[in-house]
Structure formats: structure tokens, C-alpha cells
Amino acid sequence: IWTASDRTLAITATVNSDEDDAAVREWNENETKERMSQVYAGFATEVRDLIRRIPEASIYANAVCDMEFLEHWSNGPVVVIGDAAHSMTPSLGQGANIGLEDAAEIGYLLRDDLGGKSNRYITETINNFCTIRQDRVQEIHTASRQQALNKNKKDTTLGSFLKSNPSFFERLYEWQPISSLHSANKVISEN
């Protein structure tokens, strides 16, 4: 629950569903409120009362999806980064961060004037970028999906996730672009 304006509270609720994005968007306000009531039927009376008092017209259902992790992000001198390459659920709040990491890494690798560089050099640099990024991004993508799927389990907190994978957050927050980029430039210059 968060304040959307002086007189409005917004409630964000996550429900896992086997329905696809198009089916969720077809829900009408009445159906959405009914589904919310069903999902939260076992919750505290206060939660159920709050849902009961929400005007149907104020409910917006939006499907949150991720995409399968792409094995290849580039084709020759063309590369996709961020959500275009690895869209993930917002359950860990890392999608935008990972996109910014992508931008920092590819920007650093391609920081030199490319006017005199061959397509081969650019392609190798981009391929190297993909190699550097894929293990980290895939781990975070998988963890984000796992956390989203945990939403229907009894303990859905990040603390629960942390207990099952204690070193994940260390790896997540100790990312150092400069060290990985320097090693990437070394690999490129050795080729």
C-alpha cells in the first residue's frame, strides 16, 4: 500500500496465474475484484475488508511477465541490452539495474572512437560483452523468476529467499564494472 496522491492509496498485489497476458487484460473490474477476493480469502479480516471496499472502477489488472532468457543478444555489430535482451519480473527490483549495468559495460567497451574500427572489431567487442554479462544476468533473471513463483508459498519474503541462497545478494551488490571491463579489454587486445 502506498500513497498515490493526497486522497488516494494505491495497493499493489501480486498473484501468480497460468493465464497469459492477453487473458489478464480481458478481466473486467468486477472479475478482477472477485479474483482478488478469492486469492486473499485466507488473509486477515482487515485485508479482506479493504478489498471489499475498493471500488471496482479503481482496479487495474496488469500482467507482469518475464521472457525466456535469450542465449544470443547480438548478431554481428548489432546488440540488444536491458529488457530487450532479458526482461525479468520485478520481484527482486533488478530489471532496470541490470539494464544500466549492460549500458555501463557496453559503453565502456565501445568508448573509443569507432570511426576507424572494423566491423570485426566491433563484433568481437560485442560478443565479448555478451560473454561477460550472460552468467550474471542469467543468475539474476532466474532468481527473479524464482522469487515471483514463490509468491504463492507460505513465506514469500526476501529473507526466505536469502536463507536459501545467502551468497546471492553479496554477488548482486558487489558488482564491479571496472574490473570486469578491464579484463574484457585484455581479452579483446589479445585476440
Side-chain angles (χ1 to χ4, degrees), residues 147-182:
Q147 181 62 15
L149 294 173
N150 283 343
K151 295 291 184 191
N152 286 339
K153 295 187 177 165
K154 189 170 185 167
D155 185 357
T156 64
T157 63
L158 284 177
S160 169
F161 180 80
L162 181 58
K163 287 177 203 166
S164 69
N165 194 348
S167 63
F168 173 78
F169 286 101
E170 290 174 20
R171 290 189 305 282
L172 179 67
Y173 295 118
E174 290 179 359
W175 176 73
Q176 296 290 320
I178 300 303
S179 62
S180 65
L181 292 171
H182 285 302

Side-chain angles (χ1 to χ4, degrees), residues 46 52 59 67 92 163:
E46 295 82 4
R52 186 179 43 77
I59 297 174
M67 60 188 254
L92 290 178
K163 287 177 203 166

